[in-house]
Amino acid sequence: MTATDTETRPDEVRPVKLGAVGWARWFWRTLTSMRTALILLFLFALASIPGSIWPQRGVSDGKVAQYYSDSPELAEWLDRFWLFDVFKAPWFAAIYLLLFVSLIGCVLPRTTAHLREMRRKPPAAPRNLSRLPQHAVLDADLTVEEAAGRLRRLRFRVVTGPGWVAAEKGYLKETGNLLFHVALVGLLVAVGIGALYGYRGNVLVVEGDGFANTVATYDRYTPGQQVNAESLEPFSFTLEDFQATYIAKGEKRGQALDYAATLAVTDSPGAPERKYELKVNEPLDVNGTLTYLIDHGYAPTFRITDGSGQVVLEGAVPCLVVQPATFASECVIKIPDARPEQLGILAAFLPTTVPTAGGEWTSIFPGTANPTVQVYGAFAGDLGMRNGVPQSVYEIPAEILKKMKPLTMKADPLAVGEKLDLPGGAGSIEFTGVKEWIALQITHDPGRLPALIAAGLATVAVVFSLTIRRRRVWVRVGDGGAEAGGLTRTEGGDFGEEFAGIVAALNHGSNPGVKDAR
């Protein structure tokens, strides 16, 4: 091989290297393509699924902790991939931002092209209209001006030339496509606004108690990144009464008919108090902060005396429902100030109590026709509440119960006004009455209204996009008569029926049967 053979021939074509600018342009074109936007939209929906499969921090902290307790190794792996914080995960944010950029990059150039297209005049009539998909010879002896006027009455954009008329309509199809993508961008912006400037909290309120919209009063509080304590609407209310109505007879006995909570609301400090009846799907609205009724239950009231004769608890204890059909509930009472030893009490609340054949007791109706409290476990000892480890108010951990001394196990039910004396002079438990509690979700989402508007625009846009077609019609007028031709610029649908109506309108001057969609 000679040196000449190794030299590049003048006519040889070598591949051109893209370089940094070329790769950047390729990446931008790929990112802003319609295909990429659709893929990212699908990934966005797919990425949201784990948030409904696994419990999320800030929403179900207890279930997350239970997951760690039941399957610690699996929980650690799930946490590494942010599956307990899906909507705060970096990969979720990356999909969100890429979709946002892709939609904007896709919409802007298409909008510019669409505006240019709308300003452009319809093209002149072809020489031979009979070659078009739709063609007809007109019966009427038309002039160019008459044909143009009749097409304008059918809401066509019309231009005329020597012996011809060109008409076009259906631009709202592309307008609908663009509006749909703009609505998606608006929806993403609305979600972002809600995440930054909104907040959500949950609280349990017993009849007779009040609530003030401050961070300290929430049982669970999830603020947006731009929310602080001063951002909360300064309203308050007192739960005066809660009423649940049930079907008393028939096959649907025990089914709920209605829930209503009577609130005494103060919209701001110093404002007059007003009454409000809170119902399911009828939230309390205070300047955009919504309070929803999401759950309810019973809170029996007790007077508990310790071994020294001191009343260590007098009030309501919220109980968790374990049988939704009958509202049989479980109550946990912790008394760390009892003397000589701390007390832990496990009890069952039965709204309508009846004995069973086996000597047990059960509830047969969710209403309080015969309320009782059955203490099935009273214990003395260290509750472990001073070791720095947080505990749920609704349970006493099993490892702590094992170290405590049993006092009473499975006592007879107590009716209202009855008292149970604990053995060994440890004190007494008196069942004094029944109240009810409600669980509330309080939300402030400034992106809610923009999201609703964006969703409405997207719906309208889809209708435009699916039902409207771009179509063109031409008319040639000559000494031998007039003829018309037409075609659609989009696939799908039958233009023949509409074209027949247009021909009839050109022949007779009007035709109410012609479709008038833009």
Side-chain angles (χ1 to χ4, degrees), residues 142-380:
L142 288 175
T143 65
V144 170
E145 289 74 16
E146 289 173 338
R150 293 177 183 182
L151 288 172
R152 286 191 182 98
R153 285 196 292 271
L154 297 178
R155 301 180 69 178
F156 277 91
R157 295 175 57 213
V158 176
V159 295
T160 59
W164 56 265
V165 179
E168 185 177 20
K169 69 176 177 179
Y171 286 98
L172 284 183
K173 180 179 180 65
E174 180 62 14
T175 302
N177 284 331
L178 294 174
L179 183 61
F180 176 75
H181 289 84
V182 171
L184 287 182
V185 173
L187 194 60
L188 292 175
V189 171
V191 171
I193 291 174
L196 288 174
Y197 298 97
Y199 62 87
R200 181 180 66 253
N202 294 79
V203 65
L204 184 147
V205 183
V206 179
E207 283 179 314
D209 291 348
F211 168 81
N213 192 29
T214 59
V215 175
T217 55
Y218 282 102
D219 297 329
R220 182 169 62 217
Y221 176 66
T222 308
Q225 295 182 0
Q226 301 299 319
V227 176
N228 53 42
E230 290 74 24
S231 303
L232 276 62
E233 192 69 29
F235 71 92
S236 61
F237 59 79
T238 299
L239 175 59
E240 295 186 339
D241 184 45
F242 177 79
Q243 293 291 333
T245 307
Y246 305 97
I247 298 175
K249 297 180 180 180
E251 296 180 356
K252 297 183 179 180
R253 183 174 183 268
Q255 180 174 315
L257 288 174
D258 191 25
Y259 305 112
T262 302
L263 306 180
V265 183
T266 303
D267 292 336
S268 60
E273 187 177 85
R274 63 185 176 95
K275 302 292 184 182
Y276 186 82
E277 189 173 62
L278 182 66
K279 292 189 175 184
V280 177
N281 297 326
E282 295 182 16
L284 169 68
D285 187 349
V286 181
N287 296 329
T289 300
L290 302 178
T291 301
Y292 293 90
L293 174 63
I294 60 174
D295 202 359
H296 72 103
Y298 288 105
T301 59
F302 298 92
R303 182 185 291 110
I304 299 178
T305 306
D306 66 6
S308 66
Q310 298 294 319
V311 176
V312 289
L313 174 66
E314 187 167 16
V317 177
C319 301
L320 299 182
V321 179
V322 293
Q323 295 181 7
T326 63
F327 264 71
S329 306
E330 291 184 349
C331 315
V332 175
I333 308 173
K334 300 179 183 180
I335 311 173
D337 297 328
R339 296 291 181 268
E341 292 184 282
Q342 298 179 357
L343 295 176
I345 300 168
L346 307 178
F349 175 75
L350 307 175
T352 301
T353 310
V354 295
T356 65
E360 303 291 334
W361 301 85
T362 188
S363 177
I364 60 172
F365 188 73
T368 53
N370 181 28
T372 64
V373 169
Q374 183 180 26
V375 177
Y376 60 85
F379 303 85

Side-chain angles (χ1 to χ4, degrees), residues 117 168-171 468-472 488-490:
E117 186 71 16
E168 185 177 20
K169 69 176 177 179
Y171 286 98
I468 297 175
R469 303 185 307 275
R470 284 282 299 276
R471 57 265 200 218
R472 287 174 175 171
T488 59
R489 297 194 62 191
T490 52

